[in-house]
Amino acid sequence: MHKDWQKTTQDLSALMQDIGKNIPDVTKGFSQMAKSANQDGALSHKHKELMALAIGISIRCDGCIAFHAKAVAELGATREELMEMLGVCIYMGGGPSFTYAAQALEAFDSFNK
């Protein structure tokens, strides 16, 4: 395994909680925005999380990959759905996205056991 994705989410969650204790209004606002953005509508929460994972891959954010890979696994995304999304990321982002797509696949698989 390239990275321990579960540990990544745990470590980052702890660090983010520390920030939340110091600037609670900002973190509450961020949490509310995330909750509102992810509500089922024309797109399902699962599809929105797949989009968020694609953006995490595109901007090369390990934390984003970890959190959103966990979310898509928990929301029941299939490996086939993930692969199609990874294909679009690779198409749009070239080599760097291919590298991070591989990491996103590893992260998804680690949460989808």
Side-chain angles (χ1 to χ4, degrees):
M1 185 184 295
H2 178 71
K3 293 185 182 176
D4 185 339
W5 295 100
Q6 275 107 22
K7 185 168 179 0
T8 298
T9 58
Q10 292 166 359
D11 291 350
L12 285 173
S13 290
L15 293 169
M16 293 164 85
Q17 285 177 6
D18 186 34
I19 291 172
K21 291 176 186 172
N22 289 284
I23 50 172
D25 290 342
V26 172
T27 55
K28 285 178 188 172
F30 181 83
S31 293
Q32 183 58 47
M33 182 174 53
K35 182 179 177 182
S36 295
N38 282 316
Q39 288 180 353
D40 284 328
L43 296 172
S44 69
H45 183 186
K46 178 179 78 172
H47 287 101
K48 291 176 181 184
E49 286 291 348
L50 283 164
M51 291 168 49
L53 180 55
I55 292 167
I57 292 165
S58 298
I59 64 169
R60 302 177 193 124
C61 174
D62 289 352
C64 298
I65 289 171
F67 285 118
H68 296 293
K70 180 179 180 182
V72 298
E74 290 173 349
L75 290 167
T78 66
R79 203 162 195 268
E80 291 79 18
E81 289 172 317
L82 186 82
M83 287 296 185
E84 287 190 20
M85 179 273 294
L86 295 177
V88 173
C89 289
I90 293 166
Y91 158 63
M92 294 300 293
S97 289
F98 199 171
T99 302
Y100 278 83
Q103 293 181 62
L105 175 60
E106 179 187 61
F108 174 82
D109 285 344
S110 78
F111 291 110
N112 200 34
K113 292 182 180 179

